[in-house]
Amino acid sequence: MATLGIHKDFLMEFARLEKPVQKRVQETFDKFEEHRHAGLHLEKLENPRDPRIRTIRINKFMRGVVLAPESGDSFLLLKVMPHDDAIAWALKHRATVNSATQGIELRNDVALERATAGVRQLAAEGDRRLFKKVGDKDLVRLGIDADLLPLVRHLTDEAHLDALQKILPEQQYDVLAGLAAGMTPEDVWREVVAVQLEHASPSASQEVNVVPGGDLSPSPAAPDDLSAAMARSQGRIALVTGPDELMEILERPFDAWRIFLHPSQQRVAYRPSYKGPARVVGGPGTGKTVVALHRALHLARQLPAGATDESILLTTYTRDLAADLRRSLELLIPDPALRAKIRVVNVDALAHQLVREDRGAPLALVTDHKEIIARWARIARRTGIDFTDVFLDQEWRQVVLAQDLRTPEAYLKASRTGRGTALGPLKRAQIWRAVEAFTKELVLAQEWTFLQVCAEAARLLDTKGGERPYRHVVIDEAQDLHPAQWRLLRALVAPGPDDLFIAGDPYQRIYGNKVSLRSLGIPVTGRSTRLRINYRTTQEILAWSTALLTGETVDDMDEGTESLNGYRSAFHGAAPRTSGAEDKLAELAGLVDQVRDWTRAGIAPQEIGIAVRYTQLGKEIRQALEQSGMPAVVLGGGSAAGDGIRIGTMHRMKGLEFRCVAVAGVKDGTVPLRNAVTAEETDAQQHSEDLLGELSLLFVACTRAREALRVSWHGKPSPFLAAVPTE
Ligand SMILES: Nc1ncnc2c1ncn2[C@@H]1O[C@H](COP(=O)(O)OP(=O)(O)OP(=O)(O)O)[C@@H](O)[C@H]1O
């Protein structure tokens, strides 16, 4: 039977075609199963680098490029381009097998030959060599082939390597980028090569007849080399099982994340089973949400026959993020029956539902933080206690609720790690009285805060004799959850294989909730994986944004510290721009000009995001844009509808992404926001934590940008910008 593979470049180009042309492409390939190659009218080229690369007519102007060996029935869709470009591409390229991963690689032989000559010349000017410390043996073991060794040996610096990204075979580039970023050959083996080998099915690796670094070699022993090699090219080539699947893929070409998981993502998401809670971490845009979605799909497929709907919970921090997950799940799992096995809801809403059902009536919730602080202020006055409202609120959330302390004795003995002010027994007794007064007021008014609701929901589940509502729980944006929310999550599912799957990035913690997962009965040691390739942001934006965090130490939610080492982006673009103005009017005028330039360059308004620290500034920006004839919306609760440039607080930007992002008002006093940071004299440790939270917010906002980032301020710039180059 014919096997069809789709290269991800093919899908990307297909996505940009006009509808009628897309239709023609579909018609060309939809009967692929019935056709042997001859039936597809594949045309040979004159003097090609690789005779197996052929082209196929789509219409008068467009051609497809296909890899189709004479023997066997497999073919691979490589490109779809205007006629002349397709022919030129097909003539220059050759398909080979990577000697380490045994996956397919495509190389532009002509450009590589030219680059080798150019690099030799440049290298002659000095003796700097990028890979001086890596021996040939290691390079070869990692799949760098003999043809490329001279080029690699002459590279002088990373910029040099980056410039060759487009023409180097992709896996060999990944290996070199890893080594250039300071990874050891062993690390690179594990993260680039081994993941790919692991994924290859054992039967595929037996079938293949590989000439390392060389051609896919047809031989009687391996009649279908190409399908075996395609199977070993996870993340770049998707194998299509039939015409329906082909049509389904071509229906939504923009959502490549549904089918081209990187091997490192695939390995985590589709591991048959974890013995207990498992976790995936990674910098912004590394695909943690994508992995969480695929894990939910995997778990749904593994459910025993007869498992009830909503056996799996997919959850996250806020309602908006849950709505995004729901939308993505619809794309990933078109089958409504399978999708029904997964419930998507944010933690607080779920807690509310559980408690409401138990009580038989909705709860009155106090959600306004200002209101909560005002109550603490009243209680501090009434009890004559010498602590500020903010301190009391933090003590309640970060010690009392975090450790689920229910008696004065428990509070007296409690460890207060993470809080900066030491408290003797007398002070603790005073604070406990204030806590009692605060909770009593709530009880009398029959009111709840969300964290109390979570604690109550966990208690209800724990007292229900071990009855757990879910078989599996998958959690996204885990870094923001409070211990009371974790206790609920723990109580939702019985401890055991595949109970909890956790995705998060501690560098993006923006709600000040710190946890130790092991202390909450969620041991992830030995089941924690890190993703390193950023799929969203250019290397330039990523490097600039990461530099904001220079010198910061961030905990990893498991009593260790987190690191951003080795993160890199799959693509490049312009450096971020910065702009300081004299006053607000001038800053807004500059911002409006920038947005106009973006829209004139063809960026759709909804692909432009503007992040601000507080909503009022967002409203002023909307007004300025609208006065200049550019519609804009300020994102609120729920999702934004309609067209227009998206403006949102940095908090609201979490989970979103845009082609172009402007972060505005990044000035002293606003970023960090003065009244969001505990005074140093109130609590020095909390002061540093709050500053880190504000810095993470800026980091989150900047890393929402896919192609362009602009950061602006007026007056004195934010002190955070001292860590990065500004114009
Ligand atoms: N394998 C993939 N192929 C193509 N696109 C991908 C892949 N993995 C992730 N992406 C895309 O990269 C972007 C970032 O992915 P995702 O939101 O899952 O990352 P994240 O790690 O959860 O990010 P953040 O922590 O910043 O919210 C999305 O547009 C996603 O579709």
Side-chain angles (χ1 to χ4, degrees):
M1 198 183 74
T3 313
L4 176 70
I6 298 188
H7 195 280
K8 72 175 181 205
D9 287 356
F10 177 89
L11 197 63
M12 299 297 127
E13 277 150 13
F14 176 83
R16 285 185 224 113
L17 299 177
E18 285 166 13
K19 281 273 173 248
V21 188
Q22 287 191 341
K23 192 149 173 283
R24 269 298 304 143
V25 174
Q26 292 183 346
E27 287 162 4
T28 308
F29 294 110
D30 69 350
K31 301 226 168 45
F32 76 91
E33 270 187 318
E34 292 164 25
H35 292 302
R36 301 207 124 223
H37 302 144
L40 273 177
H41 302 300
L42 297 170
E43 286 171 29
K44 290 189 175 170
L45 296 150
E46 252 179 65
N47 289 329
R49 293 276 166 159
D50 186 335
R52 298 156 308 170
I53 295 186
R54 323 272 184 88
T55 68
I56 183 166
R57 184 178 193 276
I58 304 290
N59 67 12
K60 212 167 149 196
F61 307 105
M62 303 294 289
R63 289 194 88 73
V65 183
V66 176
L67 177 67
E70 292 286 357
S71 74
D73 256 356
S74 308
F75 47 102
L76 171 61
L77 310 186
L78 294 171
K79 292 267 165 189
V80 52
M81 293 167 134
H83 182 281
D84 290 357
D85 296 348
I87 303 283
W89 191 97
L91 282 172
K92 285 182 201 153
H93 282 77
R94 185 159 61 99
T96 52
V97 166
N98 182 290
S99 63
T101 65
Q102 302 182 0
I104 294 180
E105 293 189 319
L106 289 158
R107 59 181 71 215
N108 181 340
D109 267 353
V110 176
L112 281 170
E113 281 156 18
R114 218 176 288 138
T116 308
V119 160
R120 265 185 215 277
Q121 225 171 29
L122 271 174
E125 291 165 16
D127 59 1
R128 242 183 105 193
R129 297 290 182 269
L130 182 56
F131 298 111
K132 204 188 296 189
K133 294 197 185 128
V134 190
D136 278 359
K137 222 167 116 199
D138 275 330
L139 289 175
V140 170
R141 185 170 65 100
L142 294 170
I144 305 301
D145 60 56
D147 286 359
L148 285 182
L149 263 183
L151 172 70
V152 171
R153 280 283 163 233
H154 284 93
L155 289 173
T156 55
D157 55 30
E158 260 187 278
H160 227 159
L161 174 63
D162 285 348
L164 297 177
Q165 180 177 4
K166 282 217 171 79
I167 59 166
L168 283 168
E170 203 174 334
Q171 287 185 343
Q172 298 193 45
Y173 172 80
D174 280 352
V175 162
L176 296 173
L179 292 170
M183 288 165 75
T184 63
E186 282 63 40
D187 288 344
V188 174
W189 173 267
R190 217 178 25 252
E191 293 199 14
V192 183
V193 181
V195 282
Q196 195 82 57
L197 291 175
E198 237 174 64
H199 176 73
S201 71
S203 61
S205 56
Q206 279 155 17
E207 277 167 36
V208 78
N209 180 22
V210 171
V211 179
D215 287 349
L216 289 154
S217 89
S219 87
D224 205 359
D225 273 348
L226 178 59
S227 68
M230 288 198 294
R232 287 188 299 267
S233 304
Q234 170 65 40
R236 292 172 298 127
I237 294 169
L239 288 183
V240 182
T241 50
D244 291 347
E245 193 183 351
L246 175 65
M247 288 309 122
E248 217 276 310
I249 292 174
L250 296 183
E251 281 306 307
R252 298 195 187 90
F254 275 115
D255 302 307
W257 61 271
R258 299 182 312 142
I259 42 172
F260 294 114
L261 285 194
H262 187 269
S264 56
Q265 298 173 324
Q266 173 86 19
R267 180 175 58 154
V268 185
Y270 287 97
R271 186 185 164 118
S273 176
Y274 293 93
K275 285 203 173 111
R279 170 171 86 141
V280 58
V281 291
T286 47
K288 298 179 296 296
T289 302
V290 163
V291 165
L293 288 158
H294 279 270
R295 186 70 191 163
L297 166 60
H298 169 76
L299 292 169
R301 284 181 180 147
Q302 306 297 310
L303 286 172
T308 53
D309 283 354
E310 305 202 336
S311 295
I312 298 166
L313 175 71
L314 174 59
T315 190
T316 183
Y317 190 67
T318 65
R319 206 161 36 121
D320 290 325
L321 290 168
D324 292 342
L325 285 178
R326 214 169 288 124
R327 275 191 289 276
S328 300
L329 205 64
E330 277 171 23
L331 292 177
L332 182 63
I333 314 183
D335 173 8
L338 187 60
R339 204 167 64 235
K341 302 290 176 214
I342 305 168
R343 177 169 187 211
V344 186
V345 64
N346 60 305
V347 182
D348 284 348
L350 177 65
H352 189 191
Q353 181 209 333
L354 289 168
V355 180
R356 189 178 57 215
E357 280 172 4
D358 182 70
R359 310 208 148 216
L363 310 178
L365 291 160
V366 189
T367 51
D368 182 2
H369 192 59
K370 280 197 195 122
E371 162 64 17
I372 293 173
I373 293 289
R375 291 186 187 199
W376 282 114
R378 274 203 305 277
I379 286 167
R381 269 198 308 277
R382 207 168 65 218
T383 51
I385 185 175
D386 191 20
F387 290 100
T388 64
D389 44 10
V390 171
F391 182 93
L392 289 170
D393 180 58
Q394 284 166 350
E395 189 72 9
W396 186 54
R397 278 187 297 121
Q398 291 172 18
V399 181
V400 179
L401 288 175
Q403 295 178 44
D404 199 21
L405 305 173
R406 289 164 187 246
T407 63
E409 294 75 30
Y411 178 58
L412 198 65
K413 282 192 275 174
S415 143
R416 294 178 62 261
T417 337
R419 301 284 286 146
T421 324
L423 294 176
L426 200 69
K427 296 222 152 131
R428 289 198 192 207
Q430 284 178 345
I431 291 177
W432 189 259
R433 274 201 297 282
V435 167
E436 274 183 337
F438 180 82
T439 43
K440 201 165 151 198
E441 261 187 26
L442 286 168
V443 171
L444 283 177
Q446 297 194 353
E447 288 173 338
W448 300 72
T449 67
F450 262 127
L451 288 181
Q452 287 178 304
V453 180
C454 290
E456 177 63 7
R459 196 189 62 74
L460 285 173
L461 290 168
D462 284 338
T463 50
K464 272 192 182 157
E467 197 188 304
R468 307 293 172 189
Y470 296 98
R471 284 173 187 261
H472 310 288
V473 174
V474 178
I475 304 150
D476 194 21
E477 303 293 352
Q479 72 282 348
D480 282 322
L481 295 167
H482 183 276
Q485 295 171 311
W486 281 109
R487 261 183 226 106
L488 167 59
L489 294 171
R490 177 65 283 179
L492 288 170
V493 57
D498 299 310
D499 50 358
L500 294 152
F501 184 87
I502 300 162
D505 174 13
Y507 278 100
Q508 296 183 62
R509 185 182 293 128
I510 56 177
Y511 292 97
N513 293 324
K514 280 175 90 170
V515 297
S516 149
L517 288 175
R518 68 181 72 177
S519 77
L520 291 156
I522 306 175
V524 291
T525 314
R527 290 184 293 272
S528 201
T529 320
R530 183 175 302 280
L531 301 177
R532 293 186 196 273
I533 302 173
N534 182 308
Y535 279 88
R536 174 190 302 133
T537 312
T538 63
Q539 180 63 31
E540 287 69 19
I541 295 174
L542 184 67
W544 190 91
S545 308
T546 307
L548 286 167
L549 299 168
T550 311
E552 295 296 333
T553 311
V554 169
D555 79 275
D556 68 351
M557 300 169 63
D558 201 28
E559 301 179 16
T561 47
E562 189 58 21
S563 142
L564 278 167
N565 282 349
Y567 283 129
R568 61 181 196 281
S569 169
F571 50 97
H572 284 272
R577 305 211 43 203
T578 57
S579 163
E582 292 252 307
D583 54 29
K584 196 194 270 182
L585 267 183
E587 185 186 352
L588 292 190
L591 180 60
V592 168
D593 286 347
Q594 172 67 83
V595 173
R596 191 179 293 110
D597 286 350
W598 281 333
T599 51
R600 280 187 183 154
I603 312 281
Q606 59 274 21
E607 287 280 29
I608 300 174
I610 301 178
V612 289
R613 183 60 186 88
Y614 58 94
T615 313
Q616 182 51 34
L617 178 59
K619 289 183 182 161
E620 290 170 46
I621 292 173
R622 181 186 58 196
Q623 214 175 14
L625 287 168
E626 282 175 352
Q627 276 165 4
S628 305
M630 290 182 278
V633 281
V634 179
L635 304 175
S639 294
D643 288 340
I645 292 140
R646 284 7 187 184
I647 306 172
T649 60
M650 295 178 181
H651 285 96
R652 184 63 184 83
M653 287 284 146
K654 182 87 208 79
L656 302 181
E657 60 184 38
F658 302 90
R659 283 181 71 183
C660 303
V661 167
V663 188
V666 187
K667 66 190 282 281
D668 193 30
T670 302
V671 181
L673 193 65
R674 205 166 281 137
N675 51 20
V677 179
T678 309
E680 201 167 0
E681 45 291 6
T682 305
D683 188 321
Q685 193 159 346
Q686 191 60 47
H687 174 77
S688 336
E689 294 288 341
D690 291 348
L691 280 179
L692 180 58
E694 290 284 301
L695 180 57
S696 296
L697 252 187
L698 180 60
F699 177 64
V700 166
C702 294
T703 53
R704 302 305 97 194
R706 296 216 298 260
E707 295 165 29
L709 170 67
R710 178 184 192 266
V711 175
S712 67
W713 64 91
H714 61 269
K716 203 166 154 205
S718 158
F720 294 154
L721 295 178
V724 287
T726 49
E727 284 159 29

